[in-house]
Amino acid sequence: MKKNMVIRLLSLVLIVVSLSFSTVGASSVGAAATQKINAIVRLGIFKGDPDGNLRMDEKIIRSELVTAFVRAVGMENDKNKLNLTFKDIDSTHWAYNFIGIAVNNGLITGYPDNTVGPDRFITYSEALTLIIRTLGYQEVLSSGNWPDNVIKKCQELGVISGSSIPKDKELTREEVASLIYNALTVEF
């Protein structure tokens, strides 16, 4: 499974690199963010609400982030039987299949109280943990103290540069788009 995910991510890296040469706005900070967002949208990782609005300045919920990561690694068409037992989600939830795919592939595990928090805002530490699992570095989670171990590994990989963001900060879609873009460009 790890090998397949790495191959998928490497394929996406090539696509991201080719998309990153598109025309963007004039502002250097704005241009960099726009470039990352455009790449994530073109890859189909972010699709927006039913009206196509990305609402990049709004916070992102866990089910939206999990959906983005399932799309990022090309698993959205996974046909494995899903039977989630979390007490806070059922098969009528719009992201049930995406969350099931993520659980079946070890990208998320849920909380000790048997919840998955699909409609809770995602924190910086939780987003980085999802990145670490998606990139195949699950062993990091069993060494050191969470979330410091995850932040350190993300720094080593170049997903983040520094840790000035509070660990419990709830992230916006724009911040998540940047993290996803950076994760897709990690060199293995």
Side-chain angles (χ1 to χ4, degrees):
M1 179 177 82
K2 181 178 176 179
K3 184 177 179 181
N4 287 339
M5 266 198 251
V6 170
I7 291 170
R8 289 176 182 171
L9 286 172
L10 289 174
S11 299
L12 284 172
V13 166
L14 295 173
I15 295 169
V16 167
V17 170
S18 67
L19 293 174
S20 66
F21 294 105
S22 63
T23 307
V24 291
S27 162
S28 63
V29 173
T34 300
Q35 178 179 341
K36 290 178 179 184
I37 292 165
N38 285 341
I40 297 303
V41 170
R42 286 189 182 131
L43 289 170
I45 296 170
F46 274 14
K47 295 187 178 187
D49 64 19
D51 296 323
N53 301 311
L54 293 172
R55 303 180 337 263
M56 298 306 284
D57 59 332
E58 293 181 18
K59 292 178 183 175
I60 190 167
I61 58 174
R62 293 172 55 83
S63 55
E64 292 169 333
L65 182 64
V66 168
T67 298
F69 270 84
V70 167
R71 288 178 181 150
V73 295
M75 290 190 282
E76 65 269 24
N77 295 318
D78 188 334
K79 301 294 184 202
N80 289 328
K81 182 172 171 55
L82 303 175
N83 186 22
L84 297 178
T85 59
F86 299 110
K87 61 185 179 184
D88 61 344
I89 188 169
D90 63 34
S91 61
T92 62
H93 191 282
W94 71 268
Y96 181 86
N97 288 336
F98 289 103
I99 291 171
I101 291 167
V103 168
N104 286 346
N105 287 282
L107 301 182
I108 61 171
T109 58
Y111 296 108
D113 65 352
N114 195 34
T115 62
V116 71
D119 299 316
R120 289 182 35 199
F121 294 120
I122 193 89
T123 67
Y124 181 62
S125 298
E126 291 170 329
L128 295 181
T129 301
L130 181 53
I131 289 170
I132 288 298
R133 285 187 174 130
T134 303
L135 294 175
Y137 291 98
Q138 291 86 340
E139 72 277 359
V140 169
L141 299 171
S142 60
S143 63
N145 295 318
W146 185 87
D148 297 325
N149 53 353
V150 171
I151 291 169
K152 180 180 177 188
K153 187 63 176 179
C154 284
Q155 288 170 333
E156 290 172 9
L157 294 170
V159 174
I160 57 173
S161 58
S163 60
S164 60
I165 297 177
K167 299 170 187 173
D168 60 348
K169 180 186 187 299
E170 295 170 343
L171 298 179
T172 65
R173 288 175 175 83
E174 181 178 344
E175 292 165 327
V176 166
S178 181
L179 290 174
I180 292 172
Y181 182 91
N182 293 347
L184 290 174
T185 59
V186 165
E187 293 185 31
F188 290 92

